[in-house]
Each structure stands twice: as structure tokens, then as C-alpha cells.
Amino acid sequence: MKKKLLVLLIILLIPTRALALEYPKLNSKVVEVYDVTDNKVLYEIDSNKKSSIASLTKIATTIAAIESIENLDEEVVITREILNTVSWDASVAGLKAGDKVTYRDLLYASILPSGADATNSIAILSSGSIDNYVEKMNELVTKIGLKNTYFVNVTGFDDENHYSTADDCRKLLEYALKNKLFREVYSANEYTLSNGLTVKSTIYKYNKKGVDTSKIIGSKTGYTGDAGYCFSSLSNLNGHEFITIVLNADKSGENLLDTISLLDFVNDNYKSEILITKGEVISKIPVKLSKINYYKIKTGSDVEKFLPSDYDKTSFKAKYIGLKKLSYRNKKGDKIGKIKYYFGDELFFEEDVILDIDINFSIMKFIIMYWYLIVILVLITLFFVIKLLFRKKHIKRKKKN
């Protein structure tokens, strides 16, 4: 009994600390979770490793079409020759020779069912050949500034010269999502083409199986032997927009389940924290020759940051940078400095400090501060008055004599 009590006492006396948040274990070998709102990578695994990216390539194919084709509502005809360029094992939208569709239709057919027949049609019909179109895609890569990406086809089939990284895929998708039409295409669940064919997002089959994909606003799947199962997604969690990229999962569905695990984790463990409220005093600066001694530097608004639940409160700092003292010469409405807000070494917000009061001159403060000058002035004045009186008296005596 005594031994048990001793062990219990030792356990209670051992200092404990909260464990840091741990992201879920994943099947995907390459990962990036990116907070678009704060322009910050929250989590990554080998996100700068060059990899095959399978049909995530079609993100580039689609945004290149939107930017280069003048009339997306132009009607085009799908030919047998075009369909013959599609590999037998590629995912297709179901286009047939003789189908009359628009380029806009082909955008949806490229992204939603990941149709290689649609991407090849876009390339050949708009540029004359796949090779010509791939040049446009690589021009786009240069324009965005992707350093580890190069394309040799429009579909994402494995080729040692066709590669990207999770980080570059994220940058590509982030760029594309700034385009309103691309965002509409990427976020659609289904779409009916001009020829009557209805295409559905590749995520649709998982919804039918009861997988909760409600946190995913838009997505693009992909698979090849080298790339494994891939997934890109757009989500909105606790007021922040997220892009998630997972590459190289071993089994079908693991790419989606990994994405959902990551989104659930972020949703459960991250939120906007109010680090300091409006009106809190950051610093005080002296005021010279005024009725007030100090002016209080206060926060102008609630300061929030999107943080994990285990964030270190001591990492937050607010620093005033500006005038070291004020006087009656400073006027209400003057900008007197800034408050800079740091979390660790990261400057994440700053605001101007505007003088919000009138600073009135104080005669009493002036007298107290410069009494010695006043005394000297009085003594000098007395000296000259006495000297003047003495001189007048001396002159009168002379006249009498």
C-alpha cells in the first residue's frame, strides 16, 4: 500500500506539459496544406519534391485555355482524329466524333470527369497540335514563376520530363482560382454540355458511397502509375480559404480520405484568436508643456490571428514605433507612429497611431518647467530698472548743481 502511494506521489510531482498538436497519419507521401487567406503553409511533407502529378496537370490545361482562347462560346466539332490521340487507359468525359460543343463545355469536361478527350480537343482545336498547346502551358509556368514544373502533355501521363511539386501545384491552383470562370468550373459538381452530355465531378462517386465531402468546395483528382493517387482541393474552414494538395497515395480513395483527415484536423484545431482587444494600452509617451503628463498609445481594433489551439500566448508582441514625446505643437489627427504586431518573428499586422485629442498648452507647466529662466528674466529686468532709476537720480543731482 505504501509503495502504491509513493508511486502515485512521484507521478503527481513529475511536471507535465501539453503535447503539441500532431497532424493525422497519412497514406499520401507528398502533402501541402495552404492557408490562402493568410498566405501561409500550415503543413507539408516533401512539398518541394519533384513528382508526377497525373491529372492535376489539367488545372494548367484549363486555365491556359481560359486565358488564350478568345471566344470560349465558339462551337467546335470533335473529330475521330482527335479522339484517336487519347490513350485507351485514359479517363474520358465521353465525347464522340461529330459532337458539336463549345470550348466552355470542354473546360468542364476536362476538370469534372478528368476527360482526356476534352483536354486533347482543347489543345488540337485551339492550337493545331498538342505540342503547340503544351508550349502555352509552359509559358504559363514561367509567367506564374513555378521553378520546379515542366509539362510535355496536356493530360498528365507519366513522362520523366513531365513533373511538378505539391508546392508548385498549389501555386498553380491558387493562380487559376483568381479567375472567376476557372473557379466556377473547379467548384462545379456537374454540368451539361451543349450536346446534352452531363459530366459529373470525380468526387461524385465518393458521395454516393457515404463519404462526407462537405468541406470540399472544389477538387481535381488524378492517377498514374508513377504519381499514385492524387488530389487537389479548395475549402473554406472557420473563415479561411484553404488549398490542399496530396500526391502519391498507394490506393484508390486514400487521396480523398487523406484530404478529409487534413481538413477535419484544421477545422477542429485552428481558429481566429483575438490576441488583443481594441483600446488596450500598448505604451505611454510623455507630453511636454500640456495639461496631461502622458499620452496613451492604444490599439485601434481587435487584433486576430488564425492559430492552432495550442498556440503559445507569450509569442505575441505589440510594439509601438513612432514619436517618443509630444507637445502642444502636435495636432489632433496627426499620425504619430505605428503599432506593429508580431507572432514570434512574424510581423502579421500593423496599424497607424493617430492623435485623437487636442493637446492644450499649460502656462502653469511652463512656469514650473522654466522657473529658473523666469527668475533670471525678473532679476535682469530689476537690474535694468534699478540702473535706470539710479541714472535718472544721478542726472537730477547734476542739474541741481
Side-chain angles (χ1 to χ4, degrees), residues 113-266:
S114 200
D117 47 355
T119 50
N120 284 19
S121 295
I122 288 172
I124 294 168
L125 291 170
S126 70
S127 297
S129 73
I130 290 174
D131 287 343
N132 288 343
Y133 194 83
V134 169
E135 285 185 21
K136 291 182 181 179
M137 292 168 63
N138 285 319
E139 286 171 6
L140 179 63
V141 165
T142 302
K143 174 184 172 182
I144 299 172
L146 307 182
K147 303 298 184 185
N148 297 299
T149 299
Y150 191 79
F151 299 124
V152 296
N153 60 66
V154 296
T155 57
F157 274 115
D158 291 330
D159 186 296
E160 63 179 1
N161 294 314
H162 187 102
Y163 55 84
S164 186
T165 67
D167 190 58
D168 272 9
C169 283
R170 181 269 300 172
K171 290 174 182 174
L172 172 64
L173 180 53
E174 184 182 14
Y175 171 85
L177 287 167
K178 291 174 183 175
N179 181 282
K180 183 181 177 182
L181 176 56
F182 181 90
R183 183 174 280 258
E184 289 174 2
V185 172
Y186 190 78
S187 303
N189 289 318
E190 65 176 62
Y191 180 85
T192 301
L193 281 59
S194 303
N195 64 350
L197 175 66
T198 297
V199 292
K200 295 182 179 180
S201 171
T202 50
I203 205 172
Y204 178 76
K205 64 181 180 181
Y206 297 104
N207 290 334
K208 290 178 69 176
K209 293 178 180 179
V211 178
D212 180 12
T213 60
S214 59
K215 291 185 179 71
I216 297 172
I217 296 171
S219 64
K220 181 72 197 74
T221 56
Y223 170 77
T224 65
D226 288 347
Y229 291 88
C230 306
F231 199 86
S232 71
S233 71
L234 172 68
S235 303
N236 196 303
L237 307 171
N238 297 324
H240 277 231
E241 194 166 76
F242 285 89
I243 289 174
T244 305
I245 307 291
V246 298
L247 308 176
N248 206 217
D250 292 328
K251 297 178 182 177
S252 176
E254 287 180 344
N255 50 348
L256 173 61
L257 294 176
D258 281 349
T259 299
I260 292 171
S261 293
L262 288 165
L263 296 179
D264 285 344
F265 179 84
V266 171

Side-chain angles (χ1 to χ4, degrees), residues 310-322:
D310 67 340
Y311 76 95
D312 181 4
K313 294 182 180 181
T314 63
S315 294
F316 172 69
K317 290 179 179 60
K319 186 176 181 181
Y320 166 71
I321 299 172

Side-chain angles (χ1 to χ4, degrees), residues 341-360:
Y341 299 96
Y342 294 87
F343 197 84
D345 295 328
E346 176 196 0
L347 171 65
F348 69 93
F349 180 63
E350 61 181 65
E351 60 182 345
D352 292 337
V353 178
I354 306 298
L355 187 61
D356 61 358
I357 61 170
D358 289 314
I359 298 178
N360 298 313

